[in-house]
Amino acid sequence: MNKFLSYKLVLAAALFCASCNSFLDVLPRGVANEEDLQNAVGAEKLAVAAYATLGNDHWHEPYTSMWPYGNVRSGDAYKGGLGAADQGEYHQYEIFSTVRADMDKGNRIWTRLYIGVQRANAAIKVLKVLDEASFKDKTKRLAEMRFLRAHYHFLLKILFKKIAYVTDDLEADDIEKLSNDELSDNDLWQKIADDFRFAVDNLPAPRTDVGRPNQTVAKAYLAKTRLYQAYMQDNQNSVTSVNQEYMNEVISLTTEVINSGEFSLFDDIGKNFLWNYDNRSESVFAVQRSKDDGTPIGRIDMSTALNYPMYPGYGCCSFHRPTQNLVNSFRTSDKGLPLFNDFNTVSMKDSVDFIKNTIDPRLDHSVGIPSHPYKYQQNVIYRAATFTREPGTYGPYSAMKEVQQLGCPCLTTAQTYAYPASSKNSSIIRFSDVILWKAEALIEVGRIDEALPLINQIRTRAKNSTNLLKNANGKFMSNYSMDVYKPGENIVWNKANATTALRWERRLEFALEGIRFFDLVRWGIAAETMNNYFVTEKTRVPHLSAANFTKGRDEYLPVPEQQIQRSNSIYKQNNGWN
């Protein structure tokens, strides 16, 4: 496949789309030529194709769950499966030391995401030549397409750092000559921000379709972009400063999202991970999924299809396994706070350990634990022997957030595969994320007292999220005990402690949701965090024996060698990979 798909291929692909929601209910009709699409109907088809790419990922290149890139590389998850050779490139990502620039999975996800970019650009090109009289939704669709273009570039940016920003005004010859090294790191972020800003300025305020972004959703994504942009990096991936102007913009944007009244936290965090709560109050932006929609396999979530346990009714394949380090991180002190420094001195393994120690309830929303009911199913008791593969290698635990309950109407088996998958939406932005972005920005500009109630809002919800966590006898699975931060009583609330509390809260709140590694890189602490993790975790599991994180290199995946060659070496490699 060339560096980018040809425009003709995009046009052909435009008519391939399975239904995700009302505006994606378009059945495949075949192939159209360019002339057929130079009208309002064609513009809508091209827009549908750009939306379809949101959920077109696969376990070979997952970019909705991001579990191999955000969790397996973060110390929160082991790869899992049937040993190191099973989906072996994910094992290489986990240990870092053997990653190569020519690995297939890196090239796959690069290509998939640029397909999304080009589909958005194909729609924009047609939309621009139409007038409002012939297509009344022209401006709104343009804003949606620029939102999607920014989304695909955003994912490419956090994965690869050095990327080419491809816009609709570039012809094929221009794209072939486009460099991935011409723009500075900050300039690339600015390109992404400009597209999201256009979406903010041109999308409608009311939400007309749950699968489409509106103005408030665009503000949330712009806030996320500014937050990443604010941590200024040099060419060696070190954070050199924190831009206060961008942080203040994060505060303004998140405040507008929070005050919009469009979103709110669920009363129980577990509702975020159940199919029947899709598109409810905490979902800011999500990929819309479906099944039994008249297409071969529906719009099911193939990105997490390897991650279901071996238990009958699920069947395969036991990937994405929580680390002992992550499990231990949910321990709390006698005051109900995280054990920032001492969490990993005790390993909770046996059933009694989860009673002897005090626990943050979010552990049992995130991790399948031996003897505990699995995924809120009191009649399905988790056992490592029947739920996992290679517990001697990858430990006794299983990830649980992406797995749905047995008997859920959302579950299916993908055509030609024996692997389970679901039509549960793939969350891109949760409202709790927006709240913690604001708290983080407030801390970074020195307004730490204003960050406190936001962090405590998340902790209060977590503390109260125990109704789903009961055994059949009505008793709680673990010994839950947590509290909010009370300056002068259980914590000294200075900037250093507020920063630690915020970063810890993000780990626990978004455990196994594909976010952690990108947080570590953004904060500039990936190398120290990962190498400290490896010191202890190597003594627990044998497959990490060769693991090592090289500072200045491993913060990003290498630019795929296949893409460098196809660009005739116009593309340049990331620092440390030459």
Side-chain angles (χ1 to χ4, degrees):
M1 184 175 290
N2 291 330
K3 181 168 60 173
F4 303 107
L5 295 185
S6 70
Y7 188 60
K8 287 184 178 179
L9 180 56
V10 174
L11 293 176
L15 297 184
F16 172 75
C17 176
S19 75
C20 302
N21 204 345
S22 59
F23 71 96
L24 292 181
D25 291 335
V26 179
L27 296 177
R29 299 290 185 185
V31 177
N33 60 40
E34 186 172 344
E35 291 72 24
D36 291 337
L37 298 168
Q38 301 297 313
N39 50 56
V41 173
E44 284 285 46
K45 290 175 179 177
L46 287 165
V48 167
Y51 272 110
T53 309
L54 284 173
N56 274 355
D57 55 340
H58 190 272
W59 64 72
H60 289 301
E61 58 280 330
Y63 54 79
T64 49
S65 73
M66 297 284 271
W67 65 269
Y69 313 107
N71 298 336
V72 170
R73 293 195 299 158
S74 76
D76 278 5
Y78 311 131
K79 173 188 71 71
L82 193 59
D86 192 2
Q87 299 293 321
E89 289 189 359
Y90 291 150
H91 170 74
Q92 293 177 262
Y93 288 143
E94 183 177 357
I95 67 172
F96 292 97
S97 60
T98 61
V99 173
R100 305 185 317 275
D102 64 349
M103 285 167 56
D104 179 62
K105 291 190 184 297
N107 189 47
R108 278 175 174 264
I109 195 168
W110 175 285
T111 301
R112 286 266 191 169
L113 289 169
Y114 270 115
I115 289 172
V117 169
Q118 192 158 7
R119 286 188 177 188
N121 281 334
I124 291 170
K125 283 184 177 182
V126 173
L127 286 162
K128 280 187 172 180
V129 302
L130 300 178
D131 56 43
E132 297 281 355
S134 62
F135 187 39
K136 63 181 179 62
D137 289 330
K138 171 184 175 176
T139 301
K140 182 168 67 172
R141 287 292 180 272
L142 277 171
E144 290 173 14
M145 293 303 101
R146 289 189 64 172
F147 177 98
L148 293 182
R149 182 171 73 185
H151 166 70
Y152 298 127
H153 278 119
F154 183 97
L155 297 182
L156 284 159
K157 182 74 176 69
I158 63 175
L159 286 166
F160 295 102
K161 189 172 186 173
K162 287 187 180 181
I163 63 168
Y165 204 88
V166 186
T167 53
D168 58 283
D169 56 344
L170 296 173
E171 300 298 331
D173 289 345
D174 299 323
I175 294 174
E176 292 298 326
K177 299 174 185 176
L178 194 62
S179 170
N180 72 329
D181 194 38
E182 182 177 348
L183 297 174
S184 70
D185 191 62
N186 187 63
D187 287 343
L188 269 173
W189 280 122
Q190 189 59 48
K191 290 281 190 181
I192 297 170
D194 288 345
D195 270 347
F196 281 129
R197 171 56 67 185
F198 183 89
V200 169
D201 293 341
N202 291 280
L203 285 172
R207 203 167 194 175
T208 57
D209 238 324
V210 292
R212 299 185 192 272
N214 70 341
Q215 185 181 83
T216 310
V217 174
K219 287 178 181 178
Y221 219 143
L222 178 58
K224 183 178 184 179
T225 302
R226 289 299 195 208
L227 187 66
Y228 275 74
Q229 186 179 12
Y231 293 91
M232 310 293 286
Q233 288 188 2
D234 61 19
N235 290 333
Q236 288 73 46
N237 307 332
S238 294
V239 175
T240 58
S241 63
V242 179
N243 186 297
Q244 300 294 290
E245 179 184 351
Y246 294 151
M247 284 298 183
N248 280 312
E249 189 173 354
V250 173
I251 295 168
S252 296
L253 288 164
T254 52
T255 299
E256 291 177 32
V257 174
I258 291 167
N259 292 344
S260 71
E262 294 181 45
F263 307 105
S264 61
L265 295 178
F266 288 132
D267 59 345
D268 192 307
I269 188 175
K271 292 180 179 179
N272 285 287
F273 318 117
L274 291 170
W275 164 81
N276 47 310
Y277 289 95
D278 276 352
N279 297 322
R280 302 288 185 89
S281 65
E282 195 163 339
S283 178
V284 177
F285 185 58
V287 176
Q288 303 297 302
R289 302 289 187 181
S290 65
K291 63 184 283 280
D292 301 329
D293 54 19
T295 60
I297 63 171
R299 298 294 295 168
I300 56 176
D301 181 10
M302 295 293 285
S303 71
T304 60
L306 294 179
N307 301 349
Y308 281 74
M310 307 304 293
Y311 188 79
Y314 292 128
C316 203
C317 286
S318 194
F319 281 74
H320 193 207
R321 304 276 289 282
T323 65
Q324 188 64 55
N325 183 290
L326 176 67
V327 171
N328 295 344
S329 72
F330 287 91
R331 292 174 57 224
T332 59
S333 70
D334 57 1
K335 294 182 179 180
L337 301 186
L339 294 164
F340 300 130
N341 300 314
D342 301 326
F343 76 97
N344 208 28
T345 58
V346 173
S347 286
M348 298 186 295
K349 295 181 178 179
D350 300 324
S351 301
V352 67
D353 293 334
F354 299 93
I355 301 301
K356 288 193 305 182
N357 292 276
T358 50
I359 309 294
D360 184 316
R362 286 174 290 194
L363 173 64
D364 280 308
H365 290 284
S366 307
V367 179
I369 296 171
S371 81
H372 291 197
Y374 186 72
K375 194 67 179 186
Y376 321 127
Q377 301 167 103
Q378 293 179 345
N379 62 331
V380 180
I381 305 302
Y382 184 89
R383 309 287 182 196
T386 53
F387 276 74
T388 70
R389 300 159 91 184
E390 299 237 2
T393 301
Y394 295 116
Y397 311 112
S398 292
M400 198 163 58
K401 284 181 174 177
E402 68 261 48
V403 176
Q404 293 304 295
Q405 295 176 327
L406 290 168
C408 177
C410 62
L411 280 176
T412 186
T413 300
Q415 187 183 43
T416 75
Y417 297 104
Y419 310 142
S422 84
S423 58
K424 169 79 173 69
N425 284 355
S426 299
S427 177
I428 305 299
I429 299 175
R430 289 205 279 121
F431 187 55
S432 57
D433 217 353
V434 177
I435 292 170
L436 290 178
W437 293 337
K438 181 176 180 179
E440 181 176 340
L442 286 166
I443 292 168
E444 289 298 332
V445 301
R447 296 161 60 181
I448 61 172
D449 289 343
E450 295 174 67
L452 177 64
L454 297 171
I455 297 173
N456 280 344
Q457 182 181 2
I458 303 300
R459 291 189 63 77
T460 298
R461 193 270 292 275
K463 177 181 179 180
N464 295 331
S465 295
T466 57
N467 287 337
L468 296 171
L469 306 181
K470 295 180 180 179
N471 296 303
N473 62 9
K475 295 183 178 180
F476 290 123
M477 302 180 196
S478 301
N479 181 17
Y480 306 122
S481 176
M482 64 179 297
D483 202 355
V484 298
Y485 294 107
K486 301 172 182 176
E489 182 177 333
N490 60 14
I491 194 171
V492 176
W493 197 250
N494 54 31
K495 186 172 182 179
N497 287 344
T499 298
T500 299
L502 180 280
R503 292 178 178 182
W504 203 267
E505 204 61 30
R506 287 193 60 80
R507 185 183 192 187
L508 302 182
E509 177 72 11
F510 303 110
L512 304 172
E513 294 184 50
I515 292 175
R516 171 73 171 166
F517 183 76
F518 306 111
D519 278 349
L520 297 178
V521 172
R522 175 161 58 84
W523 297 326
I525 61 172
E528 63 189 81
T529 301
M530 292 308 301
N531 285 324
N532 287 338
Y533 158 77
F534 287 139
V535 168
T536 302
E537 211 72 6
K538 283 181 180 182
T539 68
R540 294 169 172 163
V541 289
H543 73 279
L544 294 179
S545 60
N548 181 69
F549 188 103
T550 300
K551 183 176 175 61
R553 181 192 73 180
D554 289 328
E555 290 85 0
Y556 296 93
L557 299 179
V559 175
E561 182 62 30
Q562 300 90 324
Q563 302 300 326
I564 292 176
Q565 292 176 5
R566 288 163 184 161
S567 75
N568 294 318
S569 296
I570 293 175
Y571 281 1
K572 303 303 178 185
Q573 187 53 270
N574 282 324
N575 185 71
W577 290 104
N578 292 319

